[in-house]
Amino acid sequence: MIKDVLKFIVFFTLFVLASYQVHNYFLKQNQIQLSFSLKEIYAFHAIVSLGICVKIRVLSSFKSFFAQLGFLYLATFFIKLILFAIFFYNPVFTTMHFEIQEKIALLIPLFIFLFTEAVFVVNIINKKS
């Protein structure tokens, strides 16, 4: 289990850094200015997603939780959205008008990390089945 978690942390860290760099490079090349910190958005998603994935992996080692992993993951997704709303209330939710580029820039990290979490959880479920 520890080996799986360490491999995931290394892969996840490299993936997060690469995703952020590509996203930031694209914004700079197109001269798009955001009214929020893209680095903070990526950091939030990275920390929370890493925590979710590690907890799912740990819980998968208990037979009593294994059958419920999908539901547990779904619950953590909603908790993640609530935490995002709490942490980024001022920079994101008090802005009256977002440009379409800013809306897309907020959604890209969400979908990147959602996809990564889903792949990780599916791999855990498939390995144990």
Side-chain angles (χ1 to χ4, degrees), residues 110-121:
L110 174 70
F111 288 123
I112 287 172
F113 289 100
L114 178 63
F115 177 75
T116 307
E117 292 168 8
V119 168
F120 184 73
V121 172

Side-chain angles (χ1 to χ4, degrees), residues 99-110:
E99 298 294 325
I100 188 72
Q101 297 94 344
E102 290 178 308
K103 292 176 184 177
I104 293 171
L106 271 176
L107 289 176
I108 289 172
L110 174 70

Side-chain angles (χ1 to χ4, degrees), residues 13-66:
T13 303
L14 295 174
F15 182 72
V16 168
L17 292 174
S19 299
Y20 171 74
Q21 291 300 326
V22 168
H23 194 173
N24 198 36
Y25 176 77
F26 178 79
L27 293 174
K28 285 183 180 180
Q29 287 297 96
N30 292 300
Q31 299 175 347
I32 298 172
Q33 295 293 324
L34 302 175
S35 61
F36 53 85
S37 171
L38 187 64
K39 187 181 281 188
E40 289 178 4
I41 300 292
Y42 269 88
F44 169 81
H45 283 294
I47 291 167
V48 174
S49 292
L50 185 62
I52 289 170
C53 291
V54 168
K55 287 178 184 170
I56 293 289
R57 177 60 185 103
V58 169
L59 290 175
S60 73
S61 63
F62 299 104
K63 288 185 179 188
S64 59
F65 286 112
F66 183 76

